[in-house]
Structures are given as structure tokens and as C-alpha cells.
Amino acid sequence: MKMVDVGDKPRTERVAVATARLRMLPATRERILAGKVEKGDVLAAARLAGIMAAKRTPDFVPLCHPIALAGVEVTLTPEEAGLSVRVQVKTVDRTGVEMEALTAACAAALTVYDMCKSVDRGMVLEAVQLEHKAGGRSGTWQREAEAPSETPAPRVRGGKRKGGARPSSRKRAKRGG
């Protein structure tokens, strides 16, 4: 395992955009938008968390290069099912900022969850994904537009499974523990 050597690569302008979604109860979204969450301004805290996470990405992701960021923009937008998070990160450096954008989107969404978990533990963080990247040797990449689809129903847990015990239980039994 090694960190990729980017020393010979030219410094170029690079941009990445990542998104995430938070599904939540409508009442939770309304409390956030009305500023009625006990811990404070959820949207401001989430934006700040996203910016801080982008700056600290190499501390969380092994082998990720530290990069001098030129800009980080975190936007949270209300949706019918909750909130969407969009992060744009820019740099002029030798490697891309995809990991910084993805990390920032996760941190912003997790901050919303943390600040609102007392009223809605059922929130779901989903669809964390890279939407766009530009710059560097590989050029520009853009996620293709996806047709709108219904969010799949949550899987029901518990009850009897075909074949008896859970597979992990069988493995433990065979090992004697």
C-alpha cells in the first residue's frame, strides 16, 4: 500500500461536486426550516461541518493527499422527503477534490442527523454520490441524469428466515463460539 506520487503532475484547476440526501419526517424538516431545533441553527451548523470536513479529509481517508482548497460551498435545500446536500469544492493542485466533496456532503448530512436525532431517529442518509468532476488528466466527468424513481421500501427485519437461523449464527456455531 502506498500513497500515489503526484509530484510530477502539473497544478491545474480542479472542481468536484457531490450530493447526499436526508429523508426525514415532514415535521422534522419543518422544525429545521422554522429554526425550532433545540441545538440551534441546523443549516448553518451543517454548512460549517461540510466546510470543515472538506479541509480535514486526509485525516479521515487513508492515503488521501492534503490539498490546498481554493473554495468549498455547501448548500442544503429542502425537499418533500427531507433535505438535499450539495457540495462544490475547488482547488488548483496536482490531484482532484472528489474525496473532499464526498466527505463534506457526508459530514453536513451527519450534522443534520446529530442535531435532529432527538426528534427523529428514523432519518436516513442516502444517495451520497459524485455528480461532477473537472480538471486533471482525466478531464471532465458528469453523472448522467437518472429517471426519477420511487425510494425502495425499507426491508423488514426479524421474523423467521427460510432455512432457520441467520447465516452469521451458523458460522459462529461451527466455530464453537
Side-chain angles (χ1 to χ4, degrees), residues 56-78:
R56 302 288 305 267
T57 297
D59 294 340
F60 303 117
V61 181
L63 309 178
C64 188
H65 291 86
I67 298 174
L69 301 180
V72 179
E73 182 179 338
V74 179
T75 307
L76 289 98
T77 306

Side-chain angles (χ1 to χ4, degrees), residues 31 35-40 115 118:
R31 283 181 78 158
K36 303 278 186 200
V37 175
E38 186 179 319
K39 286 189 173 184
M115 293 184 74
S118 65

Side-chain angles (χ1 to χ4, degrees), residues 48-58 60 67 69 71-72 74 87-89 99-101 103-105 107:
L48 185 56
I51 292 167
M52 291 172 66
K55 294 169 62 173
R56 302 288 305 267
T57 297
F60 303 117
I67 298 174
L69 301 180
V72 179
V74 179
V87 178
Q88 178 176 288
V89 181
M99 294 310 300
E100 286 74 8
T103 301

Side-chain angles (χ1 to χ4, degrees), residues 81-95:
L83 293 174
S84 66
V85 178
R86 181 183 185 277
V87 178
Q88 178 176 288
V89 181
K90 294 182 180 183
T91 190
V92 177
D93 214 322
R94 293 182 168 110
T95 189

Side-chain angles (χ1 to χ4, degrees), residues 2-3 12 28-29 40 56 69-72 88 99 116 119 131 141 144 162 166:
K2 67 177 186 175
M3 182 180 248
T12 60
T28 306
R29 184 190 66 237
R56 302 288 305 267
L69 301 180
V72 179
Q88 178 176 288
M99 294 310 300
C116 299
V119 294
E131 299 291 343
W141 178 86
E144 292 183 24
K162 190 175 178 180
R166 294 179 133 159

Side-chain angles (χ1 to χ4, degrees), residues 3-15:
M3 182 180 248
V4 175
D5 184 354
V6 296
D8 292 336
K9 293 170 80 175
R11 292 181 191 274
T12 60
E13 184 174 334
R14 297 160 187 266
V15 177

